[in-house]
Amino acid sequence: MAEREDDLYRTALLYYVQGESMDAIAHQLGVSRSTVSRHIKLARDTGVVRITLTHPRGAHSALEDILQRRFGVNAHVVTMKDAVSDVGRLDRVARVAASVLGEAVQDGTMRGIAWGTTIAAVTAHLQSKPVNGVTLVQLNGAANDRTTGIDYVSNIMSRFAQAYDAESLLFPVPAFFDYAETREALWRERSIARVREMQLQCGLAVFGVGSVAGGLPSHVYSSGYLDDEARAELSRDHVVGDVCTVLLRQDGSWADIALNTRASGPTPLQLRRIPRRLGVVAGVGKARALVAALRAQVMTDLVVDEKTARVALDLSQ
């Protein structure tokens, strides 16, 4: 029965969330068009399709099972043709992530939001949900020597707030401080300490994975947050990417990376205090950074495109 429910779920995901035609779905799944039509009807009749998609318990693809066994992460692998562009790949992954988030948001909850290119894409697909008492907390600072980052971050936060009728709490600090001593001094300020404590009280955190190189540029590496000297440090420390602007090596290590003494986001150890942590990743250029994030155990849940998942698994052998 689980196999049949899985077929219904995957067909509905492609049809309702990713907007694929029945012919395209039939080609991807290796079935007839009439089978696709029947699965779509059964998905509606049996409740797999409601306002959002419901992933049947125990119904996972082989790739999702491997990710679960190897990294202990509940994965949603988004299938699509390899020829899909990076922009199209991000859009389809963002659609699925928005659906997963919609299911997760409940009354009286606190959600941590990390800014970035991927999470900005997710906001375009959020569906309004009638919930009460939801609070959103910005997880990492966004200012640099060129901008406060407030406009960029508040746009992301406001879209979440509108979808869930939520209150937003911004974190008005730099993404990276100039000096570690400045960060430590500011952490002692009561107004900042309050936000940091609320970050760790979240029931769910949602974030992308930044990549130093490859594919669509991650916002932190393309918008003036790191100067040439800092980029040289990244190379010397073998950094492949970041989560919440905390830098990671491919082996998942982070504690001895010099720039992390100046980073404003929660460390992997701090993130692990949050019960549910959803990472959203699209594009093979982020495969190494995804491996780093998985090895750092920052995710309990993952939405990722199939090609990137396969490359990441190969890199993690």
Side-chain angles (χ1 to χ4, degrees):
M1 183 63 179
E3 181 178 355
R4 182 184 179 187
E5 288 179 345
D6 196 26
D7 289 340
L8 299 185
Y9 176 81
R10 294 190 177 286
T11 302
L13 182 68
L14 290 167
Y15 187 74
Y16 288 105
V17 178
Q18 297 187 42
E20 296 279 12
S21 69
M22 290 190 187
D23 288 335
I25 295 169
H27 178 75
Q28 286 191 50
L29 300 183
V31 298
S32 67
R33 191 180 189 279
S34 62
T35 297
V36 172
S37 178
R38 185 172 68 255
H39 282 180
I40 290 171
K41 183 178 186 303
L42 282 171
R44 292 195 303 264
D45 293 345
T46 59
V48 172
V49 173
R50 301 172 187 170
I51 296 175
T52 57
L53 295 183
T54 301
H55 199 300
R57 179 174 296 182
H60 297 283
S61 70
L63 198 53
E64 290 167 343
D65 283 338
I66 294 171
L67 287 164
Q68 172 66 47
R69 290 196 304 271
R70 190 173 298 181
F71 297 108
V73 66
N74 179 32
H76 302 259
V77 176
V78 183
T79 59
M80 65 190 76
K81 297 175 182 177
D82 285 352
V84 173
S85 68
D86 283 343
V87 172
R89 195 171 297 275
L90 173 59
D91 183 70
R92 296 189 187 190
V93 168
R95 286 176 183 268
V96 176
S99 177
V100 172
L101 277 171
E103 293 180 16
V105 174
Q106 304 296 330
D107 289 347
T109 55
M110 192 176 298
R111 301 294 186 235
I113 310 295
W115 53 267
T117 303
T118 300
I119 302 306
V122 172
T123 65
H125 301 291
L126 295 173
Q127 297 295 314
S128 296
K129 184 175 181 178
V131 288
N132 298 307
V134 174
T135 302
L136 306 173
V137 184
Q138 180 184 337
L139 288 177
N140 51 322
N144 61 29
D145 61 358
R146 301 179 186 178
T147 175
T148 64
I150 291 175
D151 288 344
Y152 178 73
V153 173
S154 62
N155 184 50
I156 292 173
M157 297 288 283
S158 66
R159 290 185 180 182
F160 277 99
Q162 289 169 9
Y164 306 130
D165 193 22
E167 294 185 359
S168 294
L169 184 62
L170 298 180
F171 191 37
V173 300
F176 295 96
F177 288 84
D178 289 335
Y179 305 99
E181 297 84 356
T182 306
R183 186 187 75 167
E184 295 310 308
L186 192 57
W187 277 185
R188 293 194 292 269
E189 291 291 327
R190 284 180 295 175
S191 60
I192 298 301
R194 172 177 169 267
V195 178
R196 295 188 71 230
E197 183 59 33
M198 292 183 70
Q199 290 171 347
L200 300 182
Q201 291 174 5
C202 290
L204 180 144
V206 57
F207 46 82
V209 172
S211 178
V212 173
L216 289 174
S218 298
H219 193 77
V220 71
Y221 305 111
S222 64
S223 301
Y225 286 90
L226 299 168
D227 58 20
D228 290 342
E229 182 179 348
R231 287 178 177 275
E233 279 192 60
L234 299 188
S235 179
R236 288 194 297 270
D237 277 332
H238 307 290
V239 169
V240 297
D242 73 280
V243 170
C244 300
T245 59
V246 173
L247 304 163
L248 304 170
R249 299 187 185 92
Q250 191 170 319
D251 64 4
S253 62
W254 55 272
D256 61 338
I257 295 173
L259 272 172
N260 282 339
T261 64
R262 301 195 276 118
S264 62
T267 68
L269 283 178
Q270 291 168 330
L271 273 178
R272 289 178 213 154
R273 290 173 54 184
I274 298 173
R276 189 173 182 188
R277 308 176 300 275
L278 173 64
V280 186
V281 183
V284 294
K286 293 192 173 183
R288 291 186 183 279
L290 172 57
V291 172
L294 290 168
R295 286 174 169 164
Q297 300 176 10
V298 296
M299 303 174 185
T300 60
D301 298 77
L302 168 66
V303 180
V304 62
D305 65 277
E306 181 179 10
K307 187 175 182 180
T308 301
R310 293 190 184 282
V311 173
L313 285 172
D314 287 343
L315 289 170
S316 68
Q317 296 284 0

